[in-house]
């Protein structure tokens, strides 16, 4: 049982009882709806198509008038309910298709629903086309287009980045902000209905940020452009200013259904309320346990407080998971039940348990990547799986550095759903790598450009000056030209000479020592004193990214080797991306946030250690977004901790057949325990705790006082000796072997079942 062994429960678990969800009843519409029911014909026709609804799904489909909250647990068939209720309203209730609005969040989901509706009994593509099955943005864009909004949509994020880069350059701030961060922050403000004009201006940095956003909005106006956030805001203002338009929408859309309601932000919530106000025939479908987009303005209290807004609302809970093996569902239940602010629900499983989640405890992220890669390659080689069956999920983008490198080294085909930018090209990482490159090649002008902002010198102007001076007189270290840079201050000259000396010293150092020296001498302070970073970035995430760079560098003995490796990975990845363009059989890599709504045969959740799950950034309370407002005395950190738990829950419930959870023993170079969210699923039992045991989780003897559990142990390899000893710590588990205390033979790692009495 080394770090390369897969376990049935976490090594340090208080209990080795595996959580297994209760098996769901097998009753469906076929058993529950007699032919004498007036609407039986509809369900019989569904059954002919292989659609058998369970009791709660039937209740949701039959719902007719008034507000309805449908709590749809992970994998509980919510799309089937939405589709079938649409068909029921038309076929059984004789509702005109044009009176139905079905809103969801992604174009793919809308298209899937439209296609499934078209194939329902008594339906066709023409009827499905009449129903407004759309995303929020496409539905409200159609409305504002009909009422005078002609601006072009800024639909490409890349183009938005170009616009912001131009604005930043004109303001002399191109080295200070990242366009993607600015766009995310602006979107969050707008979706919480915070106008740019009302943003705070208490500091110079806040004033600067407001000026950037104002310039971006003015550019859009001048160039006849709007973005997707504007679509919703334009629609909201238009409905408020045009009562006749709102009344027309209210009169037409008499039945409104909203999918993934836990992801709605303030603007979307207000728009739906306005349209449904007179008739209140609103069905919302969602899962408060899967609210993980608070940074985008999503508010789980919209579900939690639905019955306060609509006191007469019915609540139906879809609590049967059709997606995952019962042990995966059981683990998900045990993870999420510890959250306090949630609608209580415990999912049952339809699929009998075939496999069990596996847990690994690698030393660090590189060890983790090697273990996971070998596991995938072994499964594929044995013909058990294809590459496309696997998904690697992680908390933050920097968590993917090691696994991507290992995939590249071992030629594992993959698709990265994160940034196209490599880890070493990240805005935080690149300046340090550029310093190392300069140590090897003093005339590397690209690397030179990358370090100028850390010297508080404008990137473009500084490089233009250096290149001009090089034409006059070439230098071995062209950076020295900056000593005669116009308006350079004395303290900058001093810093420049110190920096040149430091760069020259890096050549003989180990890469990790070089990075630590730079961080200690200037880089951490450079980031810390940049007040703009404090407005737009979590300090802990910045530290984590740089710590991950150190983890990577530790593997190399020279900076030549390190730089060569970075170039090799970049080249191989580029070649892989090109050759795999048409290949769908690839491992999926993505953040947990991006995985929501998806499912995979095999999920590998990596980085499930304290400091990463929950992430240290959530303890930086003053940086918390306003979406973490207090609720009945709950502070921002408590709310954030619960959202972190929901993240783990979402990750676990993406898995259909197999789940691997990896908890590296070291996070950012420091010892890290297994994530509390995982450990909470395996609590230590008190001596008199005989209840709450999951069906099938462990053996139970005839006496209720006697129970069994599985423990990890050293087992003597001698056939004549029966000695064994319990393994209690990770450090002990790391030992390759040990001597039997009785017969002195080697012992190997395994497991033993023990029987104990509960009092």
């Amino acid at each position: 049982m080394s770090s390369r062994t897969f376990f049935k429960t976490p090594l340090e678990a208080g209990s080795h009882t595996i959580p297994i969800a209760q098996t769901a009843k097998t009753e469906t519409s076929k058993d529950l709806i007699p032919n004498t029911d007036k609407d039986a014909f509809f369900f019989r026709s569904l059954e002919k198509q292989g659609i058998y609804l369970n009791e709660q799904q039937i209740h949701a489909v039959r719902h007719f008038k008034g507000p309805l909250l449908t709590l749809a647990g992970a994998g509980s068939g919510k799309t089937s309910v939405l589709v079938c209720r649409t068909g029921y309203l038309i076929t059984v209730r004789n509702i005109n298709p044009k009176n139905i609005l079905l809103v969801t969040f992604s174009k793919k989901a809308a298209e899937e629903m439209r296609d499934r509706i078209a194939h329902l009994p008594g339906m066709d593509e023409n009827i499905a086309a009449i129903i407004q099955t759309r995303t929020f943005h496409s539905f409200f864009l159609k409305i504002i287009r009909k009422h005078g909004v002609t601006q072009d949509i800024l639909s490409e994020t890349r183009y938005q980045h170009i616009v912001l880069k131009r604005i930043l350059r004109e303001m002399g701030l191109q080295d200070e902000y990242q366009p993607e961060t600015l766009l995310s922050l602006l979107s969050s403000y707008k979706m919480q209905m915070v106008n740019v004009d009302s943003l705070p201006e208490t500091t110079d940095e806040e004033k600067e940020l407001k000026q950037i956003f104002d310039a971006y909005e003015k550019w859009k106006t001048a160039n006849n452009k709007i973005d997707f956030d504007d679509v919703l805001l334009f629609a909201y203002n238009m409905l408020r200013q045009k009562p006749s338009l709102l009344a027309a929408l209210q009169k037409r859309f008499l039945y409104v259904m909203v999918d993934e309601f836990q992801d709605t932000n303030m603007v979307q919530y207000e728009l739906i309320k306005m349209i449904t106000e007179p008739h209140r025939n609103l069905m919302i479908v969602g899962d408060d346990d899967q609210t993980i987009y608070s940074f985008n303005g999503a508010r789980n209290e919209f579900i939690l407080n639905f019955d306060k807004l609509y006191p007469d609302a019915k609540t139906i809970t879809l609590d049967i998971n059709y997606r995952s093996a019962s042990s995966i569902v059981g683990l998900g239940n045990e993870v999420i039940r510890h959250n306090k602010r949630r609608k209580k629900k415990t999912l049952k499983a339809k699929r009998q348990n075939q496999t069990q989640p596996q847990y690994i405890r690698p030393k660090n992220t590189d060890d983790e990547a090697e273990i996971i890669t070998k596991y995938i390659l072994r499964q594929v080689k044995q013909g058990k799986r294809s590459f496309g069956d696997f998904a690697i999920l992680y908390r933050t983008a920097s968590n993917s550095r090691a696994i991507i490198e290992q995939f590249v080294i071992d030629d594992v085909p993959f698709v990265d759903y994160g940034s196209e930018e490599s880890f070493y090209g990240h805005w935080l990482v690149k300046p340090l790598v550029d310093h190392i490159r300069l140590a090897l090649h003093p005339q590397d002008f690209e690397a030179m450009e990358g370090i100028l902002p850390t010297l508080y010198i404008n990137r473009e102007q500084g490089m233009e000056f250096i290149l001009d001076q090089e034409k006059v007189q070439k230098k071995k270290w062209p950076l020295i030209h900056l000593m005669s840079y116009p308006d350079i201050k004395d303290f900058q000259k001093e810093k420049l000479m110190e920096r040149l000396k430091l760069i020259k010293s890096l050549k003989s150092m180990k890469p990790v020592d070089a990075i630590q020296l730079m961080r200690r001498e200037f880089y951490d302070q450079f980031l810390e004193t940049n007040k703009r970073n404090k407005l737009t970035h979590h300090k802990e995430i910045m530290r984590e990214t740089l710590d991950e760079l150190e983890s990577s560098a530790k593997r190399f003995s020279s900076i030549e080797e390190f730089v060569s490796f970075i170039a090799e990975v970049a080249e191989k990845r580029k070649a892989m991306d090109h050759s795999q363009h048409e290949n769908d059989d690839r491992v999926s890599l993505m953040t947990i946030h991006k995985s929501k709504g998806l499912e995979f045969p095999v999920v590998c959740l990596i980085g499930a250690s304290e400091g990463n799950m929950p992430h240290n950034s959530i303890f930086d309370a003053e940086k918390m977004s306003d979406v973490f407002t207090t609720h009945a005395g709950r502070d921002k950190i408590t709310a954030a901790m619960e959202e972190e738990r929901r993240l783990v829950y979402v990750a676990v419930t993406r898995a259909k057949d197999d789940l691997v959870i990896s908890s590296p023993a070291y996070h950012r170079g420091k010892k890290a325990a297994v994530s509390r969210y995982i450990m909470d699923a395996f609590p230590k039992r008190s001596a008199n705790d005989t209840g709450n045991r999951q069906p099938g989780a462990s053996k139970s003897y005839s006496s209720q006082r006697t129970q069994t559990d599985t423990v990890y142990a050293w087992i003597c390899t001698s056939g004549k000796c029966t000695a064994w000893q319990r393994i209690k710590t990770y450090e002990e588990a790391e030992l390759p072997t040990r001597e039997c205390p009785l017969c002195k033979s080697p012992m190997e790692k395994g497991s033993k079942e023990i029987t104990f009495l509960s009092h």
Side-chain angles (χ1 to χ4, degrees):
M1 191 182 76
S2 70
S3 63
R4 302 186 182 280
T5 303
F6 291 71
F7 304 113
K8 293 179 181 179
T9 61
L11 181 60
E12 296 94 336
S15 165
H16 292 289
T17 298
I18 298 164
I20 296 178
Q22 182 180 338
T23 303
K25 294 179 181 178
T26 58
E27 290 181 317
T28 67
S29 54
K30 187 176 180 181
D31 312 294
L32 299 169
I33 299 178
N35 289 330
T36 53
D37 285 5
K38 290 182 179 180
D39 58 2
F41 73 94
F42 178 76
F43 294 98
R44 297 293 92 86
S45 59
L46 289 180
E47 291 157 10
K48 287 179 181 177
Q49 291 192 354
I51 302 172
Y52 295 86
L53 303 178
N54 65 45
E55 185 175 5
Q56 296 304 309
Q57 290 174 327
I58 292 168
H59 290 321
V61 168
R62 279 175 160 172
H63 179 78
F64 187 37
K65 295 281 188 180
L68 171 66
L69 166 59
T70 304
L71 290 171
S76 61
K78 66 180 178 63
T79 302
S80 294
V81 167
L82 285 163
V83 167
C84 291
R85 182 172 186 253
T86 303
Y88 188 91
L89 286 172
I90 296 168
T91 307
V92 180
R93 294 292 188 175
N94 297 314
I95 301 302
N96 192 321
K98 75 175 185 178
N99 295 138
I100 298 174
L101 171 61
L102 177 51
V103 188
T104 188
F105 273 80
S106 72
K107 183 180 178 182
K108 182 180 178 182
E111 289 173 347
E112 180 191 350
M113 288 188 192
R114 200 176 296 121
D115 180 66
R116 288 176 63 173
I117 290 169
H119 288 86
L120 287 176
M123 309 288 279
D124 57 35
E125 291 182 0
N126 292 328
I127 296 175
I130 296 171
I131 302 163
Q132 290 297 300
T133 307
R134 293 179 173 273
T135 64
F136 273 99
H137 290 100
S138 69
F139 176 71
F140 288 106
L141 177 61
K142 187 177 180 181
I143 290 172
I144 64 175
R145 282 281 192 248
K146 283 184 176 181
H147 293 83
V149 176
T150 59
Q151 290 96 320
D152 296 329
I153 299 289
L154 266 172
S155 57
E156 284 191 32
T157 305
R158 190 176 66 86
Y159 189 35
Q160 289 176 289
H161 288 180
I162 291 171
V163 172
L164 271 171
K165 283 179 180 178
R166 188 181 305 147
I167 291 169
L168 292 171
R169 190 177 299 113
E170 290 170 356
M171 297 177 66
L173 298 171
Q174 64 268 42
D175 298 329
E176 309 299 339
Y177 294 100
Q178 286 68 51
E180 59 270 27
T181 307
L182 291 173
L183 281 175
S184 177
L185 188 59
L186 178 59
S187 177
S188 178
Y189 281 132
K190 291 166 83 171
M191 291 301 95
Q192 293 178 72
M193 303 177 79
V194 176
N195 193 285
V196 171
D197 292 337
S198 63
L199 290 179
E201 296 181 88
T202 55
T203 65
D204 290 340
E205 290 73 34
E206 287 178 346
K207 291 176 184 176
E208 187 176 88
L209 201 60
K210 187 171 180 177
Q211 289 170 0
I212 295 169
F213 291 154
D214 187 55
Y216 175 65
E217 295 299 323
K218 285 178 177 176
W219 180 92
K220 286 191 296 179
T221 301
N223 290 272
N224 203 40
K225 306 282 188 184
I226 58 175
D227 57 30
F228 283 122
D229 291 335
D230 295 326
V231 169
L232 299 182
L233 288 171
F234 276 40
Y236 175 74
N237 291 324
M238 186 179 287
L239 294 188
R240 291 186 67 191
Q241 295 163 10
K242 296 187 176 184
S244 60
L245 172 59
L246 176 57
L249 292 175
Q250 291 171 338
K251 186 177 180 180
R252 175 176 173 183
F253 296 109
L254 302 177
Y255 295 88
V256 178
M257 291 174 271
V258 184
D259 187 22
E260 301 284 8
F261 197 76
Q262 75 279 348
D263 292 336
T264 50
N265 54 48
M266 182 66 76
V267 182
Q268 293 162 336
Y269 184 57
E270 291 298 327
L271 284 165
I272 291 299
K273 281 201 300 182
M274 291 166 75
I275 292 174
T276 59
E277 186 178 5
H279 54 74
R280 302 166 77 253
N281 293 327
L282 171 62
M283 174 185 183
I284 66 167
V285 180
D287 184 4
D288 56 299
D289 288 335
Q290 296 187 62
T291 307
I292 60 173
Y293 288 113
S294 63
F295 61 89
N296 276 347
R299 310 272 286 269
N300 72 336
E301 60 261 32
F302 292 156
I303 284 184
L304 296 177
N305 297 333
F306 188 74
D307 55 352
K308 294 178 182 176
L309 182 65
Y310 301 100
D312 58 332
K314 290 184 179 178
T315 298
I316 294 172
T317 302
L318 306 182
D319 61 355
I320 298 177
N321 180 297
Y322 292 89
R323 173 190 298 153
S324 308
S326 56
S327 58
I328 295 173
V329 179
L331 177 62
N333 286 338
E334 287 300 304
V335 167
I336 201 61
R337 74 177 179 87
H338 296 276
N339 271 5
K340 304 299 182 188
R341 189 170 174 79
R342 63 184 289 259
K343 294 282 189 180
K344 294 290 189 291
K345 50 191 170 298
T346 302
L347 298 189
K348 306 178 187 70
K350 191 67 176 175
R351 294 179 54 196
Q352 291 294 322
N353 198 50
Q354 298 170 348
T355 58
Q356 297 166 347
Q358 300 182 84
Y359 304 84
I360 59 175
R361 191 79 161 108
K363 297 175 186 175
N364 50 41
T365 54
D366 291 296
D367 189 30
E368 175 181 67
E370 187 178 346
I371 295 170
I372 295 292
T373 302
K374 286 185 175 180
Y375 165 71
I376 292 172
L377 287 171
R378 184 167 60 250
Q379 293 272 306
V380 172
K381 185 177 180 180
Q382 293 173 353
K384 295 179 180 178
R385 295 287 181 191
S386 61
F387 288 115
D389 289 337
F390 293 90
I392 311 294
L393 306 185
Y394 36 86
R395 173 64 179 82
T396 62
S398 63
N399 295 149
S400 66
R401 189 273 310 166
I403 196 79
I404 287 176
E405 289 178 5
Q406 195 67 48
F407 279 2
V408 169
I409 291 168
D410 289 336
D411 292 320
V412 175
F414 69 93
V415 55
D416 181 6
Y417 288 95
S419 171
E420 294 180 3
E421 180 183 70
S422 73
F423 173 78
Y424 302 102
H426 188 280
W427 70 273
L428 275 169
V429 172
K430 190 174 182 298
L432 294 179
V433 175
D434 283 340
H435 278 80
I436 293 173
R437 287 189 174 117
L438 271 183
L440 294 175
H441 307 290
Q443 295 183 334
D444 185 334
F445 293 104
E446 183 183 341
M448 209 175 300
E449 181 179 350
I451 78 164
L452 292 185
T454 69
L455 291 163
Y456 303 97
I457 293 173
N458 182 278
R459 187 190 303 260
E460 293 179 4
Q461 295 171 6
M463 282 310 299
E464 184 180 357
F465 181 81
I466 290 172
L467 293 171
D468 285 345
Q469 294 301 306
E470 273 290 282
K471 291 175 184 176
V472 177
Q473 183 179 9
K474 291 185 179 296
K475 297 281 188 181
K476 180 181 179 181
W477 291 88
L479 203 59
I480 198 69
H481 287 304
L482 291 175
M483 290 295 289
S484 57
Y485 184 61
D487 299 324
I488 191 169
K489 297 177 175 61
D490 288 340
F491 86 89
Q492 286 179 295
K493 289 183 180 180
E494 186 180 333
K495 293 294 182 185
L496 176 61
M497 295 308 295
E498 289 176 0
R499 190 69 58 82
L500 274 168
K501 183 179 178 182
L502 182 145
I503 291 171
K504 291 175 183 178
S505 73
L506 300 180
K507 190 171 183 179
S508 60
M509 300 178 71
K510 290 183 178 181
V512 68
D513 294 334
I515 292 166
Q516 289 173 347
L517 175 66
M518 287 187 284
R519 291 185 66 179
R520 191 167 58 247
E521 290 293 316
F522 71 91
Y523 198 60
D524 282 354
Q525 184 181 4
F526 166 72
L527 296 173
E528 180 68 28
T529 55
N530 188 333
K531 294 180 181 178
R532 296 162 177 131
N533 281 335
K534 294 180 180 179
L535 280 178
T536 54
H537 297 284
H538 277 298
K539 185 167 57 178
E540 282 296 329
I541 292 177
M542 292 196 294
R543 286 177 182 166
E544 176 186 85
T545 303
L546 297 179
D547 288 344
E548 187 61 35
L549 176 63
E550 288 188 22
S551 296
S552 173
K554 281 179 183 176
R555 300 171 294 168
F556 305 94
S557 57
S558 70
I559 63 171
E560 290 92 346
E561 188 183 357
F562 186 40
V563 169
S564 175
F565 174 78
I566 292 172
E568 181 187 355
V569 167
E571 188 176 332
K572 286 191 71 174
R573 180 171 180 179
K574 188 176 180 181
M576 285 176 70
D577 288 344
H578 181 75
S579 64
Q580 296 172 12
H581 188 67
E582 301 299 326
N583 179 18
D584 288 331
D585 188 23
R586 296 182 283 175
V587 179
S588 296
L589 273 73
M590 66 187 75
T591 62
I592 301 170
H593 285 101
K594 279 205 165 67
S595 76
K596 203 178 83 62
L598 304 177
E599 59 182 40
F600 307 92
V602 187
V603 165
C604 299
L605 174 60
I606 63 175
S609 301
E610 286 289 302
N612 196 47
M613 294 179 195
H615 198 273
N616 279 331
S617 64
I618 70 170
F619 299 107
D620 193 5
E622 71 275 8
K623 287 292 291 178
M624 284 294 140
S625 166
D626 286 340
V627 296
F628 290 125
T629 51
T630 58
H631 299 285
R634 288 158 49 85
D635 58 26
K636 294 179 180 181
I637 290 179
T638 301
M641 287 288 286
E642 294 209 344
E643 178 144 344
E644 290 285 296
R645 193 187 299 275
R646 293 194 292 269
L647 263 179
V648 175
Y649 175 71
V650 166
V652 165
T653 54
R654 298 311 93 198
K656 295 168 65 177
D657 306 322
D658 293 306
L659 173 65
V660 176
I661 297 178
S662 172
S663 304
Y666 286 84
H667 176 65
R668 291 170 46 174
K670 297 178 181 177
K671 274 191 175 184
V674 176
S675 168
R676 67 190 72 184
Y677 299 138
I678 302 300
M679 295 300 285
D680 284 349
F682 302 92
K684 291 183 179 179
R685 293 192 306 275
S686 61
N688 61 355
D689 179 13
T690 60
N692 298 321
R693 302 195 50 94
Q694 297 285 354
S698 67
K699 294 179 182 178
S700 181
Y701 293 92
S702 56
S703 169
Q704 292 186 1
R705 289 178 166 271
T706 307
Q707 296 180 0
T708 64
D709 212 344
T710 303
V711 299
Y712 303 120
W714 292 106
I715 299 173
C716 183
T717 58
S718 170
K720 299 177 181 179
C721 180
T722 59
W724 66 275
Q725 287 185 323
R726 188 168 181 171
I727 297 173
K728 296 181 179 179
T729 67
Y730 168 72
E731 287 75 16
E732 192 181 354
E734 278 292 282
L735 298 173
T737 185
R738 69 179 303 168
E739 187 180 82
C740 176
L742 296 183
C743 70
K744 308 302 179 185
S745 298
M747 301 184 87
E748 65 180 9
K749 299 158 201 165
S751 62
K752 292 287 289 185
E753 277 198 348
I754 61 171
T755 303
F756 63 94
L757 295 177
S758 58
H759 302 291

